[in-house]
Amino acid sequence: MSPLISRGFGGRRRRDVDPSRVPPGQYVVDDFPVLSAGPTPSVSLDQWTFSITGAVDETASLPGDSSKARPGRRTRPP
């Protein structure tokens, strides 16, 4: 069983970067950065729901496991 909360990603400090130019708790990467304000909870898709509510004409709700039934598409950043 996986833990409820992931402690995040462990980065490596680079020697070619001035540490005073990097915010505390962050590190420089060459690819797309993943930003997180804290631990990421681990939630099973069968317990998760995506809902659109508020200033919309019609609310919508999808169970988390419905995303597996939809066709996927891989894209690459430009």
Side-chain angles (χ1 to χ4, degrees):
M1 185 170 145
S2 64
L4 178 62
I5 295 178
S6 162
R7 293 292 167 203
F9 301 97
R12 297 188 179 179
R13 299 274 178 209
R14 291 175 35 173
R15 296 173 191 226
D16 62 331
V17 176
D18 179 3
S20 68
R21 304 284 302 152
V22 182
Q26 295 186 19
Y27 56 94
V28 177
V29 296
D30 292 323
D31 54 357
F32 191 80
V34 177
L35 304 177
S36 178
T40 305
S42 177
V43 178
S44 177
L45 286 178
D46 62 345
Q47 298 174 351
W48 183 82
T49 302
F50 177 76
S51 299
I52 302 171
T53 62
V56 294
D57 291 334
E58 189 174 329
T59 61
S61 183
L62 294 171
D65 57 0
S66 70
S67 64
K68 290 182 179 179
R70 300 182 183 283
R73 183 172 96 175
R74 292 190 77 155
T75 59
R76 294 181 131 183

